[in-house]
Structure formats: structure tokens, C-alpha cells
Amino acid sequence: MMISPSTIQLVQRTACIEEIIADFVPLKKKGQNFWACCPFHHEQTPSFSVSPIKGFYKCFGCDAAGDVITFIQQIEGISFIEALTYLAQRYGIPITPNSDDTLGIQNYKSKESLYILLNLARDYYTALLWNHTEAAKVALPYLEQRAISSVIAKKFALGYSLDRWNGFYTFAIAKGISLELLIGAGLVIKNGDKVYDRFRGRLMFPIHNGVGQVVAFGARHMATDVDGPKYINSSETCVYQKSSLLYGLSFAKRSIKQTNHCYLVEGYTDVLAFHKAGVEQVVASAGTALTKGQIEALRRLTTKVTLIFDGDQAGIQATFRGIDKLLAQGLDVKVILLPAGEDPDSYLRKVGTDGFKHYIHCTAQDFVTFKANILLNQSTEQNPVEQAKAIRAVVQSIVAIPDEITRTLFLKKCSQLFSIEEAVLFSTYHTLQHQSTEVQPQKNKLPKHHSTAKNKPYVDRKNIPFISKLTASIEAYEREIIRILLTYGSTTLAEGKPLYAYILLELEDVVFRSSDCKILFDYCQTVFKQGGCVDMQCCLDSTESSIRKIAIDVAAPLHDISEAWIKKYSIYTTEEAQNVYQMSLEVILRLKIRLVQELIEQNREALKKELSADEETHLLQVHQSLKDTECHIAKQLGTVVAQ
């Protein structure tokens, strides 16, 4: 860790978790908590809970959990330090470094150095675009030809790299940038004794990560008669992994969330074209085949995606590949196919803003209709074999859909489009589904609201003769004790002592069976012995991610009491916080009596074996002692245990 604990705690306490999460997923208040469909896995029923009071989120479907820092880490795919820095900057909190972690400081400084260099490069290329005579002759006419206004060009920080070998290299060295850092950032190339710029004579497109930081560049050549690729990108670095980024995402986030929809296009200028038309919910795969990481980034923001690719054969094939990948992640997919020879940029210039908007709003098709029309046009009515292949290809896409109802509806639509009996299509579907399952076994599906022992702490299984069942009961009580400790630990008792002091002293000689509970209890004991306050916040403040995760798992409630009970029905409930000492005493005693009953059962099993007279006498004495202890605890609980 390279940031001081005081800075981390200040960020945790200042950052409003529901405000931050609402930037990524729509939240709905229910009781004291907020709920949403989880941004980390596909689901139809919300199981993602955000607790503003406790400062954490918990998904009861995929088990994702954490505080506000963890959420930014997971949603953006960045490190703890990067997430903390992002939140600190958002809330205006100064960052105080911790000099103890040499490796952490080194990694942080390496990334910060890259960000600083990439920002410097962006400013350098941007200045050249607007101020250099070479750009005025080459790049600005190109922008004018493509109807890219200065407003759009400046919004995306477009730039220009001079058509010379060492333009940026000379500039950067004069600024004191090391050659090693320039090579590491992918801005210059060293080949033997020669060092030269990676980008020369190209229009520069800065590539941003999800939080808007420049992490790389895409570059388009201006000349029409030059050998080599039209576009080249920066090499991958510790801040740039091409397969996980979508061009334009940082500019599109807010609009995607507002409309719950995103257009997915191929290239940089396609994104710019949509912005020119006033449509901002657009991103580009930037010349790569659509990846799982890119789809996950989209799914966190919306469930509806419209693919827009060129009308040529390459564009159609790219669309086909993208459809199945998006469907497999549970997204609602539509397709717009542009006229042959057109891309979004050229078509916008051809028909104007109004014509462009009308086209994208009126020609979107669901994937079945799109795929069926394309494939049927490619096959001939006289060739039943080709028609069968077309039908099978459409059904194969339907197989990818995870939701059963949606699959059924699309199969019915497919039946209508192809004029083929539903029974035949369903038979084909089951065959293809079976083949798909054999190749890639289905992942285990978690129930939306699974109920476990941790959600039912007061399970009383008296007189159960099986040790395995007793053990399960013991772990349930252990989890309930830890939940009470974390939720109400700082509550002051009548004698002026905090509840956590009572619980920790009462259980000092108990060895926890649950590994999770043991980890948390040992951590709480350490905090207590060091004079700290033992509650949920002390766990969230831990530098150990396992401590934070287990604490949230134990403390997160699956259900909230609705405020409507009081407001609408005048129904009141007794809150457990009002009687927390009595509740703690009861759970501790129930745990202890279960432990004693387990020892009694083990002793009974030992008595069944062949024993010497002394061994048998000793075990009988142990049995009587354990029964006395059981009766004593039972009297405290107000119950009667049979002798």
C-alpha cells in the first residue's frame, strides 16, 4: 500500500457509495438500501444491494461485494491505487503517500509517469494540428473533407504527428523524458542504433480509458499512395490493453445510461459522425474483433445494443460474429446495415443529420430478421441445402441467448420468417444446444436469491443425533455472532462498555469452525487488543481484501423491511438494535450449547468402542461433566434439556 491509511479512510468516509454506483447502474430505493440488476453478471431480477448506512454493496447472485473503492476497481478494471486516486480527485481529497511500500510506490509512479507522458503527447499532437503549417496543408483539409468540425475535433482532442522521423522524440527528450519511458509508452521505436517516432504524418486519435484518462493513440495516415496500414495503434502497456477498451466510452457513458441503449460501430471516425449528428451513446471496437472484456464494459451500462457496420461482405461477417457474442452475454441486440459502400461517416455526409437520424431510428432490425434476410438472399430458392444452412445459422444464434423465454419467442419469430413448423425449429434448437453444451459445459447457475445458513441464524436443531447437522448449526451461530459483532459492536452497554468487548471476552476460548468467521474473529481480536473500535468500519478499513469481502458477506442482509409497512399499513417491527445485548447473549449461549452437544455425541461414539475399565470410567465422568454444562447453559437460555 502506498497511500497513507488516513487518506484511504477519508476517501471511504467521504465518497457517497450510492452516488458513485448510480453513475454506472440505475438504483431503486427499497427500505434502507438501494437495489439494481448486478453490473457484474447478467440477471433479470435485481439482487445487487447497496447499503448507504454501512457503506458497502453486495450481490446475492454472483457474490460480488465490496466498498466504494472496490466497486470502482471492479467496474473499471483498475488497481486499488487507481480507484482510490479517482475517488480522491472527484471529492477533492489530497493524497498523502505512505513511504513504507517501495514496490507499490514504484508501480504507481510507473503508471503516473505514463499518464503524464501520454497527456504531454496529446497536447503536443493537438497543438500541431491547429498551429503547424504541415497540418494546415494535410490534416485540416482532411477534417474539412470529412466534415469533422473544430468543435468535434477539439472535443476528442484530435492531433497530428509530423511527417518526420524524430519530431516527437526530439520534443520529449528536450522536456527531460527518458528514452526508456518513451519506448515503454509505445511512442517511439528503437531499432538497433536508430530511434524514431512510431507515429509520423498521421491524424492522431487519443484513446481514453473508462474514467477519461489518455492511455494510447490510434493514428490514420493522410496520404493515399503510401504503403502500410491505414491505421496503427500504440503498443500495449500497463495502462492500455486493447481488448478491454472501447473507443469513445468515456464520452458516451452518461448518454448510454440515460437512454439505456448504445450504438456499436467499427472505427474512430464513425464515433465522431454520431457525435456530429448529436447522438452520443456510441462506442467503437476500433478495428478489433469484439471481445468479452468490451462486452462486459457495455453490459455494465446498458442491456440494449445496436450494431452498425458497413454494408460490404466484411462488415456483414463482422456483424454476425458480434451478434452471437453479445447475445451470449444476455444483451438485447439489434442491427442496422448501411447501404453498400457506406460507413456512418460517409452516410451522414451524404444524407445530412436529419436523414441520418431517421435512418438509424427506422431501419434497426432484431438480429433474427437481419440474419434471416441476409442469409436467405445469399441462398437460392432452388437450393434447399443452402436454405437449411441459413436456418441453422439463425437458430445457432438463438442458442446463445441465456434467457429461456426470449429464446422461445425468437424461435417462434424464426418459424414465421422461414415459413417452417415450430416443432422442426425446436428440434434443431435442442440438437444445436446439446452440441454447444458438449463443447463448452454450462456454467453453474446461482439462484437469484439463494438462502443459506448465514441468512437464517436462529435455526434451533435440538436433539439432532448427527454430528454433521450439529456442525452446520454451529457455523450458523458463528456467522450470526460475527454479524452482531460487526453491526452493533460499538453499541454502549449499561455499564458503559462497548458490546464488542463483551462478545470478544465471552468467546475468547472458542475455536471457530467456519474458516471465514475465524479469520474475522481473529482480526477483530487484534483490533481490540490494539485499542481500536471493533465494528463494520474497522473491517472495511482493512488493507486485506479477504477481510473486507468476508465482513460484507456476513453483514449484508438479503431482505429489508419495507418503509411502506410503517407509512402505508402502520405496521411496526421491533428492531433488533433495541435489545442487542440480550440477542448477543442468546446467540453466544446457543453456540456454546451446540459445541457441548457435539462433544457429548463424540463421547458417546467413543463409549461404543472396546475400552478398558479405566478408559470407560474416564469417559463416563466426561459425559456427566458435559451433561452438567449442557444443563447449566440450557437453564440460562430458559429451556429444558432431557437427562
Side-chain angles (χ1 to χ4, degrees), residues 43-146:
E43 63 179 3
Q44 300 293 329
T45 303
S47 62
F48 182 82
S49 173
V50 181
S51 172
I53 296 174
K54 297 176 182 177
F56 62 72
Y57 64 91
K58 164 75 177 178
C59 177
F60 294 93
C62 70
D63 206 35
D67 62 2
V68 64
I69 301 174
T70 309
F71 180 82
I72 293 297
Q73 279 186 265
Q74 293 184 340
I75 203 79
E76 295 291 2
I78 56 181
S79 70
F80 177 83
I81 299 299
E82 289 171 315
L84 190 71
T85 303
Y86 167 78
L87 291 169
Q89 291 173 345
R90 172 160 178 168
Y91 287 93
I93 299 171
I95 296 176
T96 305
N98 186 342
S99 58
D100 294 339
D101 187 358
T102 305
L103 181 59
I105 291 175
Q106 184 178 351
N107 291 336
Y108 176 73
K109 285 184 175 179
S110 296
K111 287 189 175 182
E112 282 300 298
S113 296
L114 278 176
Y115 287 133
I116 292 170
L117 174 56
L118 291 164
N119 282 332
L120 177 69
R122 176 202 58 199
D123 294 343
Y124 168 81
Y125 294 131
T126 300
L128 288 177
L129 177 63
W130 303 111
N131 301 314
H132 201 280
T133 54
E134 183 180 316
K137 294 178 181 178
V138 180
L140 293 182
Y142 174 82
L143 294 181
E144 185 177 353
Q145 175 191 348
R146 304 297 291 260

Side-chain angles (χ1 to χ4, degrees), residues 333-353:
V333 182
K334 292 189 181 298
V335 183
I336 296 173
L337 193 63
L338 294 172
E342 301 286 358
D343 58 32
D345 179 47
S346 65
Y347 193 66
L348 172 62
R349 285 183 278 119
K350 183 176 181 179
V351 300
T353 299

Side-chain angles (χ1 to χ4, degrees), residues 317-346:
Q317 292 304 316
T319 305
F320 281 177
R321 291 191 297 269
I323 285 172
D324 290 356
K325 290 179 180 180
L326 290 164
L327 290 173
Q329 297 301 314
L331 293 171
D332 178 6
V333 182
K334 292 189 181 298
V335 183
I336 296 173
L337 193 63
L338 294 172
E342 301 286 358
D343 58 32
D345 179 47
S346 65

Side-chain angles (χ1 to χ4, degrees), residues 260-491:
N260 187 27
H261 175 253
C262 181
Y263 292 104
L264 179 60
V265 296
E266 287 186 277
Y268 306 123
T269 56
D270 297 335
V271 171
L272 270 57
F274 271 79
H275 280 261
K276 284 190 294 181
V279 180
E280 295 188 345
Q281 64 270 29
V282 57
V283 297
S285 55
T288 65
L290 196 61
T291 67
K292 185 177 180 181
Q294 292 171 330
I295 295 173
E296 287 176 350
L298 277 178
R299 189 167 53 80
R300 293 169 192 153
L301 299 171
T302 182
T303 58
K304 300 177 181 179
V305 176
T306 299
L307 290 164
I308 304 180
F309 285 93
D310 299 352
D312 56 18
Q313 190 60 35
I316 292 172
Q317 292 304 316
T319 305
F320 281 177
R321 291 191 297 269
I323 285 172
D324 290 356
K325 290 179 180 180
L326 290 164
L327 290 173
Q329 297 301 314
L331 293 171
D332 178 6
V333 182
K334 292 189 181 298
V335 183
I336 296 173
L337 193 63
L338 294 172
E342 301 286 358
D343 58 32
D345 179 47
S346 65
Y347 193 66
L348 172 62
R349 285 183 278 119
K350 183 176 181 179
V351 300
T353 299
D354 292 340
F356 182 78
K357 285 185 174 181
H358 177 78
Y359 189 85
I360 64 174
H361 289 155
C362 298
T363 61
Q365 300 175 311
D366 64 74
F367 76 94
V368 166
T369 305
F370 164 77
K371 204 167 183 178
N373 288 338
I374 294 294
L375 293 174
L376 285 178
N377 287 336
Q378 291 177 350
S379 62
T380 61
E381 294 184 4
Q382 291 77 22
N383 193 335
V385 174
E386 291 300 321
Q387 284 185 316
K389 287 182 180 180
I391 295 171
R392 193 172 286 107
V394 175
V395 176
Q396 184 69 67
S397 292
I398 297 175
V399 169
I401 300 173
D403 182 66
E404 184 175 354
I405 294 175
T406 306
R407 291 196 303 260
T408 302
L409 292 174
F410 273 120
L411 283 171
K412 289 180 178 294
K413 183 164 189 174
C414 189
S415 170
Q416 296 169 358
L417 287 171
F418 287 110
S419 299
I420 191 169
E421 293 181 6
E422 287 184 20
V424 175
L425 285 181
F426 275 92
S427 175
T428 302
Y429 162 78
H430 288 301
T431 300
L432 292 174
Q433 185 185 46
H434 179 70
Q435 292 173 354
S436 176
T437 304
E438 285 183 341
V439 175
Q440 186 175 2
Q442 284 187 334
K443 297 179 180 178
N444 294 330
K445 294 182 179 179
L446 290 171
K448 294 181 179 65
H449 289 295
H450 57 288
S451 177
T452 64
K454 67 182 178 184
N455 303 123
K456 299 187 201 174
Y458 286 96
V459 179
D460 190 357
R461 297 187 179 94
K462 295 191 294 289
N463 304 320
I464 297 178
F466 299 104
I467 294 176
S468 61
K469 292 185 179 180
L470 285 171
T471 302
S473 176
I474 287 168
E475 292 193 359
Y477 286 124
E478 287 177 349
R479 293 187 73 90
E480 176 64 357
I481 286 169
I482 296 297
R483 185 191 71 82
I484 294 170
L485 177 63
L486 298 184
T487 306
Y488 305 108
S490 58
T491 302

Side-chain angles (χ1 to χ4, degrees), residues 598-612:
E598 184 182 76
L599 292 174
I600 291 171
E601 185 63 31
Q602 291 174 347
N603 198 65
R604 283 175 178 164
E605 292 298 318
L607 281 168
K608 294 178 182 179
K609 300 177 182 178
E610 293 185 8
L611 304 169
S612 65

